[in-house]
Amino acid sequence: MNVRNPVTGRIERPLDPVRPERLAGVAAELRAMAPAWRDADRGALLSRFGAALADDDTLLAALVADTGRVAESLLERQIVAGLIDRWVRQAPVLLAPPAEFPASLPGVHVGGDAVPYELVGAITPWNFPLLLGLIDAVPALAAGCAVVVKPSEVTPRFIEPLMRLVPDGLPLRVVEGDGATGAALVDLVDAVVFTGSVPTGRLVAQAAARAFVPAYLELGGKDPAIVLAGADLDRASSAILWGGTANAGQACQSIERVYVAREVHDEFLALLAGKAAQVGLTCEGGPIGPIIAPEQPDLIAAHLADAVGKGAVVHTGGVIERHGGGHWCRPTVLSGVDHTMLVMTEETFGPLLPVMAVDGVDEAVAAANDSVYGLSAAVFAATEEAARAVAARLHAGAVSVNDASLTALVHEGEKHSFRLSGLGGSRMGTASINRFLRRRAFLVNRSDAADPWWHATKE
């Protein structure tokens, strides 16, 4: 495989996957570091890492080269620095041993501690290489685990500058590789975290089951937004435009389908299309970056062709453009859509916003829930109470109320992925550190009885 520049389309170098024997050596090296790491001042080393990462322009330049975008890469670096700082502050409290308490048996007390997995593997995608490379690695490190990360073969440039920032003693290694590298990694670790597509997630889950290690899967999404009568349409159209086109729609929490109350549909559609038409490409000085992965242009084009062929109307965008060898897609607003179309049912991962009119709340909820995915969603209504009532009916792990795609920026809320969008404990919130710990109970008999009744045996 080759490493492609998403802006120019040129092949810049061949991929250099770590060899299997070297990967096994990395795993052994990290396991050897794990005991000392559990006893180390983990917060101090993680803080050094975060401070170095926050200001490193070489890392930033590599992220820009990997993805072809600037604003999102700056935000990505900022979010990761904040993520590290948050875990440094929270981990000591979360990892404190629980208070002892008396058991149901007289004289027996229950205590315990938490035992980190020795080595965690993370297999991560191309759309946010740094953030999704470290979003699980950082809490695992804070928990006391050693971590090896295998990022996507599409975006490997950031690995070298990132590894230069890892301080001595921090058991984190990031390795270059392809799908075979990721498959080999599963057999070398004690727990695996995967972010990516549903088909690949199934393969990871099967491999983890064979290796008898836990797998935590963060998979695809087809996030709906619902706009009810009485909602602030100006706010809703701006939020949905951002939620559907940030990073050119290449995010699992992107808004990919919009259901609007029929009585406000035309007004909302006009607002959304008018705003979308004003948003340009980065090659023209606008905010919309290139399509990063080489296979995505064909998939987006196929969804567009399917929709138009079945009667959808294109209001803005609607074509894959070539500029300087890269592929680009302008914000694309569609109407006249329904659930016979791929653009309403399959993950697009592009800046497409299909808008469908619905009659009332019940139809909106039924349409939003008509999906194999259940990652996140958004609801806009006249009041917070009305929006929350609808949010409580949606089969999704997180619902933004009177905003969209807030899970990209707010990581404090514990949530689970519904349906095919994922499996395992919450990635978000303080509970997410528990994925990397095994709980051990100490059952202590402090009874004064020399021979308590439960020791008795029948004659």
Side-chain angles (χ1 to χ4, degrees), residues 218 375-376 397-398 407 413-417 424-429:
E218 292 285 334
L375 189 65
S376 45
T407 55
E414 181 180 353
K415 72 179 189 70
H416 290 87
S417 299
S426 174
R427 164 180 272 178
M428 303 297 185

Side-chain angles (χ1 to χ4, degrees), residues 11 64 110 121 165 170 173 224 295 306 335 366 375 440:
I11 301 301
V64 172
V110 180
L165 302 177
L170 184 67
R173 299 293 180 266
E295 69 275 7
D306 176 75
S335 66
L375 189 65
R440 180 165 50 196

